[in-house]
Amino acid sequence: MDSSTAKQCRDLETAVGGPLELSKLTGSRAYERFTGNQIAKIYQTQQEAYNKTERISLVSSFGATLFLGDYAPIDESDASGMNLLDIRTRQWHPQALNACGEKLSSKLGDKVVPSSTVLGDISGYFVDRYGFSPDCKVIAWTGDNPASLAGMRLEEGDVIVSLGTSDTLLLWLTEPQPALEGHILVNPVDTNAYMALLCFKNGSLTREKIRDECANGSWEDFSQLLNTTPPGNHGNIGIYFDVQEIIPFAHGQYRFNDKGQEVSSFGADVEIRAVLEGQFLAKRIHAQNLGYHIGPGNRILATGGASINTDILQVISNVFNAPVYIQKDVNSAALGCAYRAKHGQ
């Protein structure tokens, strides 16, 4: 992953009053891979190329451009992952633009559009060459994460928990509270709502490590030991960052007993519940920090490899105080684009 734009990230944060202020404005603090900071690097190091550039597209808007036969605008959801869009007004933020390059608004397209916007008829090239109907409409394209939210049919109060090598949360929010960790994006389904994205690096591999150490590598033994301890683990809690964590930026293992005292180890049964409850309590806390509210009607949609383990799902249900449903493995991003195309009609 490109981290060569660290200087541009700090410059952008300084220009708007700091990382938290940038997050409040654009939904995220400055990230090296985000488009605004990548543009700033080109502007600073290859200014002639920048000046000769007529249009800057995202992968999504470029795809729509090909089918439209004309420059396609960037949609609100994908634009909110650039560190350039004011997520409240749905317009480019002038200070952020100025920090990244001259005349950047015109190069990006002065306006962004809702994700279900009908952009126009398909290009005549596709009609003549491939037999598309001349009445075929092109809908604004978006990114993979917004499309996945649409494909999994999230509603207000829902949470997607993807249980993989890294664990990921997707949230539907109505009143976001941008923070220094995580990302707030414009919702691709409801233009008055938002979505949040949280990625945790210590996921299944961390759970599997504890399984191997405490349950002889057996998920059956893991579950049996888990079920010998009650929810809450008698007040014991563990934090397991075997690799450098993203949220928060931390590393190491930490265990605390029911008196809040740090201890060096737990018994196997306590250790197993501690890793699960610690992971999912952290997810709940970070979700709430971004504006997620626990209440009646909440649903958890679980996906990924570990979602087949009903005992792990029960811990998630306990922590979030909500029912957990298993999402069948589908290409949710592609399905979401199909839904959005229908929605656009």
Side-chain angles (χ1 to χ4, degrees), residues 80-102:
S80 50
M82 298 171 67
N83 276 148
L84 294 175
L85 187 79
D86 186 324
I87 59 171
R88 308 287 181 178
T89 66
R90 272 66 163 175
Q91 297 177 355
W92 301 122
H93 192 274
Q95 283 179 281
L97 292 177
N98 292 337
C100 293
E102 293 181 355

Side-chain angles (χ1 to χ4, degrees), residues 207-222:
R207 294 186 287 270
E208 290 167 6
K209 182 173 182 288
I210 296 299
R211 176 204 63 188
D212 294 344
E213 293 174 352
C214 298
N216 301 313
S218 165
W219 282 118
E220 183 178 353
D221 292 349
F222 182 95

